[in-house]
Every structure is written in C-alpha cells, then in structure tokens.
Amino acid sequence: MPCSCYPSRYRRSVMKVYPDDPAAGLDPAGMQQLTFYALTHPERLPKITRFLAGRIQRDVVAERTQLAVIGVQAFDSLLQACHSSLSLFAVSLLRVVEMLLDAREHEFQIIGTNTVMKDAQTEYDFQVFNGSVVPVTPCL
C-alpha cells in the first residue's frame, strides 16, 4: 500500500513538466515522461488532465501567466499525443478553455483562443452512434 504522504505517480509526472524557473518554459524531458505515462496508462488520463486543469486554474487565478502558459502547452502536447483518447479528457480541456476565455487578463483570453484554434486544426475521425458523436482512432 503506497504511503499517502507522497503524491501519486501521475501527479509527480505532471509536476515534472513545470521547470524551477518559469521563464525556461515547458520542460521537454518532463513532458516526454508525462506523455509516455499517459500513453501507457490511458485509464489515468482523466485524472492527469483533471489535475493539470486544476493547476492551470490556480495559476490563472493567481495571475501567473508563465506557469499557466506552461500548463496549456502541456495540455496541447497531451492532446496531440493522445488524440485517439479525446473522449477521456474532453471535459477537462473544455473547462480549461472556458476558464481562460473568462479570465480578466487579455493574455489568458489570447491563450484560450489559440488553444481552441489548435484543437480546431487537429483532424479527428468521428462516428455518430445512437445520436451521439463518438471519436474513433484518427487516420494517420
């Protein structure tokens, strides 16, 4: 049984994406580790994105623009890598976009708009099943 004093593996993976100095930007080694973890454990994807969305929300409320940008970049990277599992984290993605667009700072609104534009340019293959849209593994 794991000790409750240590954060879970998915939380540690998300935290490694953030560098010690926010001006350095997204940590590529940490992002690679998070992507690998998300691809090998797709059942953890909702928890990963929920935790990442919460971190972005805290950064937006505290007006820490650089950290919020890093979080959104991590979200975008996860979206590109795990786009076949979009249904597992679509709610968290929409929550982040809504939060960014509703922020007072124009910088956050621009980040949210850019996120929507990146997602709109990503090609997905969808099927309609009993009146609801279901994402299918995209064509490569």
Side-chain angles (χ1 to χ4, degrees), residues 41-111:
H41 297 88
E43 72 277 0
R44 295 279 186 210
L45 204 50
K47 286 186 175 187
I48 292 169
T49 55
R50 214 174 314 132
F51 180 71
L52 186 57
R55 173 71 195 255
I56 294 169
Q57 181 178 12
R58 286 191 301 273
D59 292 335
V60 168
V61 168
E63 297 181 359
R64 296 183 291 234
T65 308
Q66 292 177 331
L67 292 174
V69 167
I70 291 170
V72 171
Q73 288 173 347
F75 224 113
D76 288 341
S77 296
L78 278 177
L79 178 66
Q80 294 300 318
C82 306
H83 57 277
S84 62
S85 303
L86 178 66
S87 62
L88 295 176
F89 63 96
V91 173
S92 295
L93 176 65
L94 292 175
R95 183 175 141 211
V96 167
V97 169
E98 178 185 18
M99 176 185 29
L100 289 169
L101 293 176
D102 288 343
R104 292 182 194 155
E105 297 291 325
H106 294 296
E107 296 167 12
F108 293 129
Q109 294 171 357
I110 292 169
I111 294 167

